[in-house]
Amino acid sequence: MYTQERTAMANLVVGGPVAVNSYDNAIVAALLENRPVMLVHAFNGGYLRPAELKEDSHDKGVKLATALDPATKEAQGHLWYVTPAGFFGQRPLYFIESAAGQVSPKPSGAGGADTGRGDDGTPKPQRRRITVHQEAPKSTADTVQVGLPDKVGDKWRGKNGAPEDTQLWVVTVTPWGGITFVPITHPDAILGFKDYAVAADGEVRVTYNWGGDFTGTVINTFYPRLPNEWSVPYHHVFT
Protein backbone atom coordinates (compact mmCIF):
# COMPACT_ATOMS: atom_id res chain seq x y z
CA MET A 1 0.00 0.00 0.00
CA TYR A 2 2.88 2.34 0.78
CA THR A 3 6.40 2.56 -0.59
CA GLN A 4 8.56 3.31 2.41
CA GLU A 5 10.64 0.68 4.15
CA ARG A 6 8.83 -1.59 6.59
CA THR A 7 9.82 -3.38 9.76
CA ALA A 8 8.90 -7.04 9.40
CA MET A 9 6.55 -8.04 12.22
CA ALA A 10 5.23 -11.53 11.64
CA ASN A 11 1.67 -12.29 12.72
CA LEU A 12 1.22 -9.25 14.93
CA VAL A 13 -1.93 -9.57 17.02
CA VAL A 14 -3.11 -6.31 18.57
CA GLY A 15 -6.44 -6.09 20.33
CA GLY A 16 -7.89 -9.11 18.53
CA PRO A 17 -9.80 -10.78 17.08
CA VAL A 18 -7.98 -10.18 13.78
CA ALA A 19 -4.47 -11.59 13.42
CA VAL A 20 -2.56 -9.22 11.15
CA ASN A 21 0.62 -9.95 9.23
CA SER A 22 1.57 -6.34 9.71
CA TYR A 23 4.40 -4.50 8.02
CA ASP A 24 3.00 -1.12 8.96
CA ASN A 25 5.50 0.83 11.03
CA ALA A 26 2.85 3.26 12.23
CA ILE A 27 0.63 0.62 13.87
CA VAL A 28 3.65 -0.99 15.50
CA ALA A 29 4.96 2.39 16.67
CA ALA A 30 1.60 3.54 18.02
CA LEU A 31 0.59 0.38 19.87
CA LEU A 32 3.91 -1.19 20.87
CA GLU A 33 6.42 1.67 20.97
CA ASN A 34 3.98 4.36 22.19
CA ARG A 35 5.15 6.90 19.62
CA PRO A 36 2.83 9.76 18.63
CA VAL A 37 0.99 9.33 15.34
CA MET A 38 -1.53 11.14 13.19
CA LEU A 39 -4.91 9.38 13.11
CA VAL A 40 -5.95 9.77 9.48
CA HIS A 41 -9.49 8.84 8.54
CA ALA A 42 -10.04 6.12 5.94
CA PHE A 43 -12.77 7.98 4.08
CA ASN A 44 -11.45 11.43 3.26
CA GLY A 45 -7.90 11.58 4.61
CA GLY A 46 -8.72 14.12 7.31
CA TYR A 47 -7.00 13.79 10.66
CA LEU A 48 -8.25 13.92 14.25
CA ARG A 49 -7.32 16.93 16.37
CA PRO A 50 -8.65 18.38 19.64
CA ALA A 51 -11.12 21.22 19.08
CA GLU A 52 -9.07 23.23 21.61
CA LEU A 53 -5.29 22.82 21.76
CA LYS A 54 -4.54 24.58 25.07
CA GLU A 55 -3.50 22.53 28.08
CA ASP A 56 -6.15 24.16 30.30
CA SER A 57 -9.04 23.03 28.06
CA HIS A 58 -10.81 19.96 29.42
CA ASP A 59 -14.40 20.31 28.22
CA LYS A 60 -13.98 20.54 24.45
CA GLY A 61 -14.29 17.76 21.92
CA VAL A 62 -12.45 16.40 18.89
CA LYS A 63 -12.88 17.25 15.22
CA LEU A 64 -11.78 15.99 11.82
CA ALA A 65 -9.51 18.55 10.14
CA THR A 66 -8.47 18.42 6.51
CA ALA A 67 -5.73 21.09 6.51
CA LEU A 68 -2.62 20.88 8.67
CA ASP A 69 -2.11 24.53 9.57
CA PRO A 70 1.16 25.80 11.15
CA ALA A 71 -0.49 26.58 14.50
CA THR A 72 -1.81 23.03 14.86
CA LYS A 73 1.51 21.54 13.81
CA GLU A 74 3.49 23.72 16.21
CA ALA A 75 1.17 22.80 19.10
CA GLN A 76 1.30 19.10 18.10
CA GLY A 77 -2.48 19.13 17.80
CA HIS A 78 -2.27 16.59 14.98
CA LEU A 79 -0.48 13.97 17.09
CA TRP A 80 -1.89 11.32 19.42
CA TYR A 81 -0.46 8.71 21.75
CA VAL A 82 -2.26 5.36 21.95
CA THR A 83 -1.08 4.52 25.47
CA PRO A 84 -1.30 0.99 26.98
CA ALA A 85 -3.67 0.86 29.97
CA GLY A 86 -4.09 -2.75 31.10
CA PHE A 87 -6.40 -5.48 29.87
CA PHE A 88 -10.10 -6.26 29.48
CA GLY A 89 -10.15 -10.04 29.57
CA GLN A 90 -7.43 -10.86 27.04
CA ARG A 91 -7.85 -7.63 25.10
CA PRO A 92 -5.29 -4.87 25.64
CA LEU A 93 -6.81 -1.53 26.59
CA TYR A 94 -5.51 1.89 25.63
CA PHE A 95 -5.90 5.59 26.35
CA ILE A 96 -6.07 7.93 23.33
CA GLU A 97 -3.98 10.87 24.50
CA SER A 98 -3.38 14.17 22.73
CA ALA A 99 0.17 15.43 22.32
CA ALA A 100 -1.24 18.99 22.39
CA GLY A 101 -1.18 20.73 25.75
CA GLN A 102 0.59 17.99 27.66
CA VAL A 103 1.88 18.97 31.08
CA SER A 104 5.33 17.98 32.30
CA PRO A 105 4.92 17.18 36.01
CA LYS A 106 7.29 18.67 38.55
CA PRO A 107 9.79 16.18 40.00
CA SER A 108 8.52 14.87 43.31
CA GLY A 109 10.53 15.34 46.47
CA ALA A 110 12.23 12.54 48.33
CA GLY A 111 9.67 9.97 49.36
CA GLY A 112 6.89 11.86 47.57
CA ALA A 113 4.31 10.12 45.43
CA ASP A 114 4.23 10.70 41.70
CA THR A 115 2.06 9.69 38.77
CA GLY A 116 4.45 7.10 37.40
CA ARG A 117 7.83 7.16 35.75
CA GLY A 118 9.03 6.17 32.33
CA ASP A 119 11.85 3.79 31.50
CA ASP A 120 14.39 6.59 31.88
CA GLY A 121 13.21 7.36 35.42
CA THR A 122 11.71 10.76 34.64
CA PRO A 123 8.07 11.50 35.57
CA LYS A 124 5.63 10.76 32.78
CA PRO A 125 3.94 13.80 31.24
CA GLN A 126 0.26 14.31 31.95
CA ARG A 127 -1.70 14.17 28.70
CA ARG A 128 -5.32 14.97 27.98
CA ARG A 129 -7.27 11.85 27.06
CA ILE A 130 -10.34 11.30 24.93
CA THR A 131 -13.19 10.77 27.40
CA VAL A 132 -16.64 9.33 26.64
CA HIS A 133 -19.90 10.56 28.22
CA GLN A 134 -21.73 8.09 30.47
CA GLU A 135 -24.86 8.24 28.34
CA ALA A 136 -23.21 7.97 24.92
CA PRO A 137 -24.26 7.29 22.23
CA LYS A 138 -27.95 7.93 23.04
CA SER A 139 -27.67 11.64 22.39
CA THR A 140 -26.38 13.53 19.35
CA ALA A 141 -24.95 16.14 21.73
CA ASP A 142 -21.28 16.07 22.74
CA THR A 143 -20.31 12.53 23.69
CA VAL A 144 -16.52 12.95 23.48
CA GLN A 145 -14.19 15.35 25.29
CA VAL A 146 -10.43 15.72 25.69
CA GLY A 147 -9.23 16.34 29.23
CA LEU A 148 -7.02 15.25 32.11
CA PRO A 149 -8.50 12.51 34.32
CA ASP A 150 -8.89 14.76 37.35
CA LYS A 151 -10.50 17.55 35.31
CA VAL A 152 -13.47 15.73 33.75
CA GLY A 153 -17.01 16.29 35.06
CA ASP A 154 -19.21 13.77 36.87
CA LYS A 155 -21.00 12.58 33.74
CA TRP A 156 -17.61 11.93 32.16
CA ARG A 157 -16.59 9.48 34.87
CA GLY A 158 -17.18 5.76 35.00
CA LYS A 159 -20.33 4.65 36.77
CA ASN A 160 -18.27 3.50 39.74
CA GLY A 161 -16.74 6.97 39.94
CA ALA A 162 -13.38 6.29 38.31
CA PRO A 163 -12.66 8.67 35.41
CA GLU A 164 -10.41 6.06 33.79
CA ASP A 165 -13.41 3.85 33.01
CA THR A 166 -14.66 6.35 30.46
CA GLN A 167 -11.20 6.81 28.95
CA LEU A 168 -10.38 3.17 28.17
CA TRP A 169 -10.59 1.87 24.60
CA VAL A 170 -10.32 -1.46 22.85
CA VAL A 171 -8.09 -0.82 19.82
CA THR A 172 -8.55 -3.29 16.99
CA VAL A 173 -6.40 -3.65 13.90
CA THR A 174 -8.64 -4.09 10.87
CA PRO A 175 -7.89 -6.48 7.99
CA TRP A 176 -7.10 -3.50 5.75
CA GLY A 177 -4.38 -2.04 7.98
CA GLY A 178 -6.28 0.60 9.94
CA ILE A 179 -7.39 0.76 13.55
CA THR A 180 -10.82 1.08 15.15
CA PHE A 181 -11.63 2.42 18.63
CA VAL A 182 -14.34 0.88 20.83
CA PRO A 183 -15.03 2.37 24.31
CA ILE A 184 -15.27 -0.29 27.01
CA THR A 185 -18.18 1.57 28.64
CA HIS A 186 -20.22 1.23 25.42
CA PRO A 187 -19.11 -1.96 23.64
CA ASP A 188 -21.87 -1.65 21.02
CA ALA A 189 -20.50 1.77 19.98
CA ILE A 190 -17.49 3.00 18.05
CA LEU A 191 -15.58 6.26 17.58
CA GLY A 192 -17.47 7.98 14.76
CA PHE A 193 -18.96 11.32 13.77
CA LYS A 194 -21.99 13.49 14.42
CA ASP A 195 -24.93 12.45 12.23
CA TYR A 196 -22.65 9.65 10.92
CA ALA A 197 -21.31 12.08 8.30
CA VAL A 198 -17.58 12.29 7.64
CA ALA A 199 -16.97 15.91 6.67
CA ALA A 200 -14.27 18.56 7.08
CA ASP A 201 -14.32 19.93 10.65
CA GLY A 202 -16.88 17.24 11.50
CA GLU A 203 -17.40 16.72 15.22
CA VAL A 204 -16.29 13.38 16.61
CA ARG A 205 -18.92 11.36 18.48
CA VAL A 206 -19.39 7.91 19.89
CA THR A 207 -21.91 6.33 17.50
CA TYR A 208 -23.55 2.94 17.27
CA ASN A 209 -21.36 0.38 15.56
CA TRP A 210 -23.44 -0.48 12.52
CA GLY A 211 -20.60 -2.77 11.39
CA GLY A 212 -21.64 -5.19 14.11
CA ASP A 213 -18.24 -6.39 15.30
CA PHE A 214 -15.02 -5.11 16.85
CA THR A 215 -13.41 -4.49 13.46
CA GLY A 216 -16.02 -1.85 12.71
CA THR A 217 -16.47 -0.54 9.19
CA VAL A 218 -14.31 1.37 6.74
CA ILE A 219 -16.07 4.61 7.62
CA ASN A 220 -14.98 4.29 11.26
CA THR A 221 -11.38 3.30 10.54
CA PHE A 222 -8.28 5.41 11.10
CA TYR A 223 -4.85 4.88 9.59
CA PRO A 224 -1.99 5.76 11.97
CA ARG A 225 0.66 7.80 10.19
CA LEU A 226 4.15 8.53 11.45
CA PRO A 227 5.75 11.97 10.97
CA ASN A 228 7.90 10.66 8.10
CA GLU A 229 4.75 9.40 6.38
CA TRP A 230 2.86 12.71 6.26
CA SER A 231 3.68 13.25 2.58
CA VAL A 232 2.82 9.69 1.56
CA PRO A 233 -0.47 9.62 -0.39
CA TYR A 234 -3.08 7.70 1.54
CA HIS A 235 -5.05 5.03 -0.29
CA HIS A 236 -8.65 4.19 0.38
CA VAL A 237 -9.22 0.48 0.87
CA PHE A 238 -11.44 0.36 -2.22
CA THR A 239 -9.06 2.15 -4.61
Side-chain angles (χ1 to χ4, degrees):
M1 184 181 291
Y2 297 97
T3 57
Q4 72 274 11
E5 182 181 352
R6 296 295 183 196
T7 301
M9 295 288 289
N11 201 33
L12 173 68
V13 182
V14 187
V18 180
V20 178
N21 289 317
S22 176
Y23 295 88
D24 196 318
N25 285 343
I27 291 179
V28 174
L31 300 183
L32 301 185
E33 299 175 13
N34 199 215
R35 290 172 58 186
V37 293
M38 291 181 74
L39 295 175
V40 180
H41 196 265
F43 186 72
N44 69 356
Y47 66 94
L48 293 189
R49 57 152 284 178
E52 177 57 65
L53 301 176
K54 297 177 182 178
E55 65 184 41
D56 56 358
S57 173
H58 304 285
D59 60 353
K60 296 294 188 293
V62 187
K63 68 178 185 177
L64 186 72
T66 51
L68 183 54
D69 58 280
T72 299
K73 192 171 181 178
E74 183 178 349
Q76 295 192 313
H78 58 307
L79 294 179
W80 300 87
Y81 290 86
V82 187
T83 305
F87 289 85
F88 178 63
Q90 294 183 334
R91 291 179 181 275
L93 296 173
Y94 296 88
F95 298 124
I96 311 170
E97 299 181 320
S98 175
Q102 70 180 24
V103 180
S104 297
K106 299 175 183 177
S108 59
D114 58 45
T115 56
R117 294 180 179 270
D119 293 338
D120 58 358
T122 58
K124 294 180 180 179
Q126 292 180 291
R127 301 190 187 107
R128 297 181 300 158
R129 302 169 180 168
I130 294 185
T131 305
V132 175
H133 196 274
Q134 272 186 16
E135 298 174 359
K138 298 175 184 176
S139 170
T140 57
D142 289 343
T143 58
V144 168
Q145 287 184 359
V146 177
L148 291 174
D150 59 346
K151 302 290 186 181
V152 298
D154 289 340
K155 282 292 186 178
W156 300 87
R157 298 175 182 271
K159 293 192 175 179
N160 65 357
E164 286 79 6
D165 288 355
T166 53
Q167 297 174 331
L168 289 169
W169 300 81
V170 175
V171 180
T172 301
V173 179
T174 65
W176 43 83
I179 56 179
T180 296
F181 298 104
V182 177
I184 66 163
T185 50
H186 306 286
D188 59 343
I190 207 165
L191 196 64
F193 297 90
K194 183 180 179 181
D195 302 324
Y196 316 108
V198 184
D201 291 322
E203 297 173 73
V204 173
R205 296 284 187 270
V206 173
T207 60
Y208 287 104
N209 180 16
W210 304 114
D213 59 25
F214 273 97
T215 62
T217 59
V218 169
I219 207 158
N220 289 315
T221 296
F222 302 90
Y223 291 109
R225 294 273 64 88
L226 288 169
N228 63 348
E229 295 177 317
W230 293 345
S231 60
V232 176
Y234 102 101
H235 295 270
H236 192 280
V237 68
F238 291 134
T239 61

